[in-house]
Structures are given as structure tokens and as C-alpha cells.
Amino acid sequence: METIKRLFTIKTKFEAFLVIYALALGATERGVVYMHQYPGVGGQLLALACSGAVFMAGGKILDALELQRGFVR
């Protein structure tokens, strides 16, 4: 079970940035779908919310990585 758990653990900043990049790709794709489904300001706001969620999640991932390594400010 530990070997499976290690596969899903982010250990380096490079891995963190890969995860954030994957989140950003999915969020931008979802934002495009929202802009097609809801033309106008509503779709643009939903697309912006998708982008904002990636920024918040990316920050949390990087902070958690620092906490895990013991580099707390």
C-alpha cells in the first residue's frame, strides 16, 4: 500500500508544477466550454472563475510542499 501511496505524493517542485500545468489545461478547456455554452458576460465570468481556481490551488499545492519539506517561513 505504501508503494501505491508514493505514486500519488508530490515530492518536488517540478512535480508540483506539472500538476498545476495539468490543472490549468483542464480549467482553460472548461472555460472555453463555458464561454460557448453561456455567451456574453456570464460565460466570461465562469471562465475567469476556472482560471482563478487554478491560481488558488497552485498556491496551496506549493505551500503544502514547503510545509511537507519543513521550509516554513
Side-chain angles (χ1 to χ4, degrees), residues 19 45 58 67:
V19 170
L45 288 175
L67 282 174

Side-chain angles (χ1 to χ4, degrees), residues 49-72:
C50 290
S51 300
V54 173
F55 282 110
M56 291 189 305
K60 286 293 185 181
I61 289 171
L62 293 174
D63 285 345
L65 184 63
E66 287 179 6
L67 282 174
Q68 181 183 9
R69 298 177 114 196
F71 296 128
V72 181

Side-chain angles (χ1 to χ4, degrees), residues 22-57:
L23 287 173
L25 284 179
T28 54
E29 181 65 30
R30 189 65 202 161
V32 169
V33 170
Y34 278 143
M35 290 196 310
H36 285 289
Q37 284 181 348
Y38 306 106
V41 177
Q44 290 173 351
L45 288 175
L46 288 170
L48 184 65
C50 290
S51 300
V54 173
F55 282 110
M56 291 189 305

